[in-house]
Amino acid sequence: MCNGPAVILMEPQLGENIGAAARAMANFGLSDLRLVAPKEPWPNEKAVAAASGADEVLNAARVFPGLREATADLHFLCATTARPREMVKPVMTPATAIAACRERMAEGAACGFLFGRERWGLDNEAISLCDVIVMAPVNPAFASLNLAQAVLIVGYEWRKGEGSDALGRHTQFDGKVGEGLPEHAGPPATKAELHALFDHLERELDASGFLQPPEKRPHMVRNIRAVFTRMQPTEQEVRTLRGVIASLCRQHRPRPK
Protein backbone atom coordinates (compact mmCIF):
# COMPACT_ATOMS: atom_id res chain seq x y z
CA MET A 1 0.00 0.00 0.00
CA CYS A 2 1.38 3.42 -0.98
CA ASN A 3 2.16 5.96 1.66
CA GLY A 4 0.03 9.08 1.41
CA PRO A 5 -2.28 10.33 -1.32
CA ALA A 6 -1.47 9.82 -4.97
CA VAL A 7 0.16 12.63 -6.94
CA ILE A 8 -1.27 12.81 -10.47
CA LEU A 9 0.47 14.99 -13.05
CA MET A 10 -1.81 15.93 -15.92
CA GLU A 11 0.03 15.87 -19.26
CA PRO A 12 3.39 17.06 -17.89
CA GLN A 13 5.45 18.65 -20.63
CA LEU A 14 9.06 18.29 -19.46
CA GLY A 15 10.91 15.38 -17.92
CA GLU A 16 12.79 17.79 -15.67
CA ASN A 17 9.53 18.89 -14.07
CA ILE A 18 8.48 15.30 -13.43
CA GLY A 19 11.83 14.62 -11.79
CA ALA A 20 11.61 17.74 -9.63
CA ALA A 21 8.08 16.76 -8.57
CA ALA A 22 9.31 13.27 -7.68
CA ARG A 23 12.07 14.81 -5.59
CA ALA A 24 9.51 16.93 -3.73
CA MET A 25 7.43 13.82 -3.09
CA ALA A 26 10.41 11.92 -1.71
CA ASN A 27 11.29 14.86 0.56
CA PHE A 28 8.00 14.46 2.39
CA GLY A 29 7.27 10.74 2.17
CA LEU A 30 4.89 10.53 -0.79
CA SER A 31 5.43 7.63 -3.16
CA ASP A 32 2.45 7.16 -5.53
CA LEU A 33 3.30 9.12 -8.70
CA ARG A 34 0.95 8.88 -11.68
CA LEU A 35 1.57 10.49 -15.07
CA VAL A 36 -1.30 11.23 -17.43
CA ALA A 37 -0.10 11.27 -21.05
CA PRO A 38 3.33 12.86 -20.54
CA LYS A 39 4.56 14.79 -23.57
CA GLU A 40 8.06 13.30 -23.56
CA PRO A 41 8.84 9.56 -23.78
CA TRP A 42 8.86 7.64 -20.53
CA PRO A 43 11.16 6.57 -18.82
CA ASN A 44 13.00 9.87 -19.17
CA GLU A 45 16.68 10.56 -18.47
CA LYS A 46 16.04 14.25 -17.74
CA ALA A 47 13.52 13.25 -15.08
CA VAL A 48 16.08 10.97 -13.43
CA ALA A 49 18.67 13.76 -13.35
CA ALA A 50 16.21 16.29 -11.90
CA ALA A 51 15.00 13.83 -9.27
CA SER A 52 18.43 13.96 -7.58
CA GLY A 53 18.19 10.47 -6.14
CA ALA A 54 14.41 10.08 -5.76
CA ASP A 55 14.72 6.95 -7.90
CA GLU A 56 12.28 4.92 -5.85
CA VAL A 57 9.47 7.33 -6.64
CA LEU A 58 10.37 7.53 -10.33
CA ASN A 59 10.79 3.79 -10.78
CA ALA A 60 7.36 3.17 -9.30
CA ALA A 61 5.67 5.89 -11.39
CA ARG A 62 2.80 4.71 -13.56
CA VAL A 63 1.76 6.17 -16.92
CA PHE A 64 -1.90 6.38 -17.97
CA PRO A 65 -3.46 7.43 -21.27
CA GLY A 66 -6.12 9.60 -19.62
CA LEU A 67 -7.32 11.09 -16.38
CA ARG A 68 -10.17 8.63 -15.91
CA GLU A 69 -7.79 5.69 -16.08
CA ALA A 70 -5.31 7.36 -13.72
CA THR A 71 -7.95 8.02 -11.06
CA ALA A 72 -10.22 5.01 -11.46
CA ASP A 73 -9.26 3.49 -8.08
CA LEU A 74 -9.53 6.75 -6.12
CA HIS A 75 -12.45 7.75 -3.91
CA PHE A 76 -11.51 11.40 -3.30
CA LEU A 77 -9.73 13.64 -5.78
CA CYS A 78 -8.41 17.17 -5.15
CA ALA A 79 -7.77 19.62 -8.00
CA THR A 80 -4.92 22.06 -7.37
CA THR A 81 -5.47 25.40 -9.09
CA ALA A 82 -4.96 29.13 -8.62
CA ARG A 83 -8.55 29.95 -9.68
CA PRO A 84 -11.91 28.45 -8.63
CA ARG A 85 -13.14 28.46 -12.28
CA GLU A 86 -16.69 29.45 -11.24
CA MET A 87 -17.51 25.86 -10.34
CA VAL A 88 -19.69 25.00 -7.38
CA LYS A 89 -17.16 22.89 -5.51
CA PRO A 90 -15.76 23.10 -1.99
CA VAL A 91 -12.54 25.12 -1.83
CA MET A 92 -9.83 23.97 0.58
CA THR A 93 -6.32 24.98 1.52
CA PRO A 94 -3.59 22.34 1.20
CA ALA A 95 -3.78 21.82 4.97
CA THR A 96 -7.55 21.24 5.09
CA ALA A 97 -7.42 19.05 1.98
CA ILE A 98 -4.74 16.87 3.55
CA ALA A 99 -6.83 16.62 6.73
CA ALA A 100 -9.83 15.54 4.63
CA CYS A 101 -7.69 12.93 2.91
CA ARG A 102 -6.43 11.58 6.22
CA GLU A 103 -9.96 11.11 7.51
CA ARG A 104 -10.95 9.20 4.38
CA MET A 105 -7.77 7.16 4.21
CA ALA A 106 -8.25 6.10 7.82
CA GLU A 107 -11.51 4.53 6.67
CA GLY A 108 -9.85 2.74 3.76
CA ALA A 109 -10.52 5.25 0.97
CA ALA A 110 -7.90 6.15 -1.64
CA CYS A 111 -7.16 9.82 -2.28
CA GLY A 112 -5.18 11.87 -4.74
CA PHE A 113 -4.09 15.37 -5.75
CA LEU A 114 -4.28 16.41 -9.38
CA PHE A 115 -1.72 18.90 -10.75
CA GLY A 116 -2.10 20.63 -14.08
CA ARG A 117 0.09 21.23 -17.08
CA GLU A 118 3.05 23.52 -16.55
CA ARG A 119 1.91 26.16 -19.00
CA TRP A 120 -1.77 26.62 -18.24
CA GLY A 121 -2.73 24.34 -15.37
CA LEU A 122 -5.84 22.19 -15.24
CA ASP A 123 -8.68 22.67 -17.70
CA ASN A 124 -12.31 22.85 -16.62
CA GLU A 125 -13.05 19.31 -17.77
CA ALA A 126 -10.37 17.88 -15.48
CA ILE A 127 -11.53 19.99 -12.55
CA SER A 128 -15.11 18.86 -13.10
CA LEU A 129 -14.00 15.29 -12.30
CA CYS A 130 -12.55 16.32 -8.94
CA ASP A 131 -14.31 16.49 -5.57
CA VAL A 132 -12.72 19.68 -4.22
CA ILE A 133 -10.58 22.57 -5.36
CA VAL A 134 -7.32 23.21 -3.49
CA MET A 135 -5.85 26.70 -3.46
CA ALA A 136 -2.69 27.74 -1.60
CA PRO A 137 -2.45 31.06 0.29
CA VAL A 138 -0.04 32.59 -2.22
CA ASN A 139 0.46 36.22 -3.18
CA PRO A 140 -2.70 37.01 -5.19
CA ALA A 141 -0.70 39.37 -7.40
CA PHE A 142 1.64 36.52 -8.38
CA ALA A 143 -0.03 33.18 -7.76
CA SER A 144 1.77 31.04 -10.33
CA LEU A 145 3.66 28.06 -8.93
CA ASN A 146 5.75 25.67 -10.92
CA LEU A 147 4.85 21.99 -10.83
CA ALA A 148 7.40 20.92 -8.23
CA GLN A 149 6.52 23.84 -5.94
CA ALA A 150 2.87 22.88 -5.97
CA VAL A 151 3.69 19.25 -5.19
CA LEU A 152 6.08 20.39 -2.45
CA ILE A 153 3.36 22.35 -0.66
CA VAL A 154 1.03 19.35 -0.58
CA GLY A 155 3.86 17.04 0.48
CA TYR A 156 4.86 19.39 3.28
CA GLU A 157 1.33 19.47 4.65
CA TRP A 158 1.19 15.68 4.49
CA ARG A 159 4.47 15.32 6.36
CA LYS A 160 3.40 17.75 9.08
CA GLY A 161 0.48 15.50 9.91
CA GLU A 162 2.61 12.36 10.21
CA GLY A 163 3.31 13.10 13.87
CA SER A 164 7.10 13.12 13.52
CA ASP A 165 8.89 15.85 15.48
CA ALA A 166 12.19 15.22 13.70
CA LEU A 167 13.64 17.95 11.49
CA GLY A 168 16.04 17.85 8.56
CA ARG A 169 18.47 15.08 7.64
CA HIS A 170 19.36 12.27 10.02
CA THR A 171 22.97 11.09 10.05
CA GLN A 172 25.03 8.90 12.34
CA PHE A 173 26.81 12.05 13.52
CA ASP A 174 23.89 14.44 14.00
CA GLY A 175 21.19 12.04 15.14
CA LYS A 176 17.61 13.18 15.48
CA VAL A 177 17.10 16.94 15.32
CA GLY A 178 14.09 18.71 16.82
CA GLU A 179 13.05 22.20 17.80
CA GLY A 180 14.97 23.99 20.52
CA LEU A 181 18.57 23.65 21.62
CA PRO A 182 20.31 20.42 20.55
CA GLU A 183 21.15 18.01 23.35
CA HIS A 184 24.88 18.34 22.72
CA ALA A 185 24.66 22.08 23.48
CA GLY A 186 24.84 21.19 27.15
CA PRO A 187 22.48 21.84 30.05
CA PRO A 188 20.96 25.29 30.42
CA ALA A 189 22.50 27.62 32.97
CA THR A 190 20.92 27.68 36.39
CA LYS A 191 19.58 30.92 37.83
CA ALA A 192 22.48 30.91 40.28
CA GLU A 193 24.95 30.81 37.40
CA LEU A 194 23.11 33.62 35.63
CA HIS A 195 23.07 35.73 38.80
CA ALA A 196 26.81 35.20 39.20
CA LEU A 197 27.28 36.38 35.61
CA PHE A 198 25.19 39.47 36.30
CA ASP A 199 27.17 40.25 39.45
CA HIS A 200 30.48 39.82 37.61
CA LEU A 201 29.44 41.97 34.64
CA GLU A 202 27.82 44.71 36.70
CA ARG A 203 30.84 44.92 39.01
CA GLU A 204 33.15 45.49 36.08
CA LEU A 205 30.76 47.94 34.42
CA ASP A 206 30.64 49.94 37.63
CA ALA A 207 34.44 49.96 37.72
CA SER A 208 34.64 51.17 34.12
CA GLY A 209 32.08 53.93 34.68
CA PHE A 210 29.61 52.55 32.18
CA LEU A 211 26.59 52.48 34.52
CA GLN A 212 26.28 56.25 34.75
CA PRO A 213 24.57 58.47 35.80
CA PRO A 214 23.58 56.83 39.10
CA GLU A 215 19.86 57.53 38.71
CA LYS A 216 19.81 55.55 35.44
CA ARG A 217 21.79 52.59 36.77
CA PRO A 218 18.76 50.45 37.83
CA HIS A 219 17.13 50.76 34.42
CA MET A 220 20.39 50.02 32.59
CA VAL A 221 21.02 46.96 34.76
CA ARG A 222 17.53 45.60 34.10
CA ASN A 223 18.01 46.00 30.34
CA ILE A 224 21.37 44.22 30.40
CA ARG A 225 19.97 41.35 32.45
CA ALA A 226 17.04 41.05 30.04
CA VAL A 227 19.44 40.59 27.12
CA PHE A 228 21.14 37.59 28.72
CA THR A 229 17.90 36.13 30.08
CA ARG A 230 16.37 36.09 26.58
CA MET A 231 19.41 34.17 25.35
CA GLN A 232 18.65 31.25 27.69
CA PRO A 233 22.39 30.45 27.74
CA THR A 234 23.86 27.09 28.58
CA GLU A 235 26.27 26.48 31.46
CA GLN A 236 29.18 26.50 29.02
CA GLU A 237 28.07 29.76 27.43
CA VAL A 238 27.90 31.47 30.84
CA ARG A 239 31.42 30.25 31.63
CA THR A 240 32.60 31.57 28.25
CA LEU A 241 30.98 34.96 28.82
CA ARG A 242 32.59 35.28 32.23
CA GLY A 243 35.93 34.38 30.69
CA VAL A 244 35.46 37.07 28.05
CA ILE A 245 34.66 39.67 30.72
CA ALA A 246 37.69 38.67 32.79
CA SER A 247 39.98 38.78 29.74
CA LEU A 248 38.80 42.24 28.67
CA CYS A 249 39.25 43.59 32.15
CA ARG A 250 42.78 42.21 32.42
CA GLN A 251 43.72 43.86 29.12
CA HIS A 252 42.55 47.31 30.20
CA ARG A 253 43.78 47.35 33.78
CA PRO A 254 47.26 48.74 34.45
CA ARG A 255 49.70 46.02 35.30
CA PRO A 256 51.19 46.19 38.79
CA LYS A 257 54.82 47.31 38.85
Side-chain angles (χ1 to χ4, degrees):
M1 181 177 180
C2 291
N3 184 26
V7 170
I8 306 111
L9 307 184
M10 186 73 184
E11 299 177 2
Q13 297 169 285
L14 299 174
E16 295 95 322
N17 292 332
I18 298 174
R23 180 179 182 178
M25 291 174 63
N27 284 148
F28 297 106
L30 298 176
S31 57
D32 186 1
L33 176 60
R34 307 182 186 191
L35 310 177
V36 179
K39 295 302 181 184
E40 294 186 348
W42 191 261
N44 187 284
E45 292 183 1
K46 294 178 181 178
V48 174
S52 296
D55 299 334
E56 188 173 345
V57 175
L58 280 184
N59 293 338
R62 290 176 286 170
V63 178
F64 298 86
L67 181 58
R68 295 194 178 201
E69 294 87 350
T71 59
D73 63 323
L74 301 181
H75 303 90
F76 186 67
L77 184 59
C78 304
T80 61
T81 179
R83 297 182 292 116
R85 311 296 181 91
E86 298 181 351
M87 294 190 187
V88 183
K89 289 181 180 291
V91 176
M92 295 182 172
T93 65
T96 55
I98 285 292
C101 287
R102 285 192 179 279
E103 291 179 4
R104 289 165 172 78
M105 293 173 71
E107 298 172 354
C111 303
F113 282 79
L114 179 63
F115 298 86
R117 307 161 185 85
E118 294 95 323
R119 187 165 297 178
W120 63 85
L122 295 172
D123 58 29
N124 288 345
E125 182 178 355
I127 294 176
S128 71
L129 298 176
C130 297
D131 298 285
V132 300
I133 289 173
V134 178
M135 302 176 69
V138 295
N139 176 9
F142 192 75
S144 176
L145 297 173
N146 68 35
L147 191 56
Q149 287 173 325
V151 173
L152 189 79
I153 289 174
V154 170
Y156 174 70
E157 293 295 344
W158 170 260
R159 185 68 178 176
K160 282 201 306 184
E162 286 288 80
S164 173
D165 58 354
L167 301 174
R169 183 192 298 272
H170 293 183
T171 70
Q172 60 177 326
F173 305 104
D174 299 321
K176 180 179 176 181
V177 179
E179 287 190 283
L181 284 173
E183 294 180 1
H184 59 74
T190 65
K191 293 302 180 185
E193 289 165 333
L194 272 178
H195 295 163
L197 169 64
F198 297 156
D199 292 341
H200 186 179
L201 178 58
E202 291 157 21
R203 184 170 59 251
E204 298 298 342
L205 291 176
D206 277 327
S208 70
F210 180 82
L211 297 176
Q212 295 290 338
E215 62 271 17
K216 291 187 177 181
R217 185 184 187 281
H219 180 69
M220 297 172 71
V221 166
R222 286 195 295 269
N223 286 343
I224 293 170
R225 291 178 179 181
V227 170
F228 291 103
T229 303
R230 282 198 304 271
M231 287 173 53
Q232 298 183 329
T234 64
E235 291 179 355
Q236 180 57 55
E237 287 169 336
V238 167
R239 287 195 293 270
T240 300
L241 286 170
R242 295 195 64 179
V244 168
I245 297 167
S247 177
L248 289 173
C249 293
R250 283 196 301 271
Q251 291 296 322
H252 290 89
R253 282 178 182 154
R255 296 182 180 180
K257 294 182 181 180

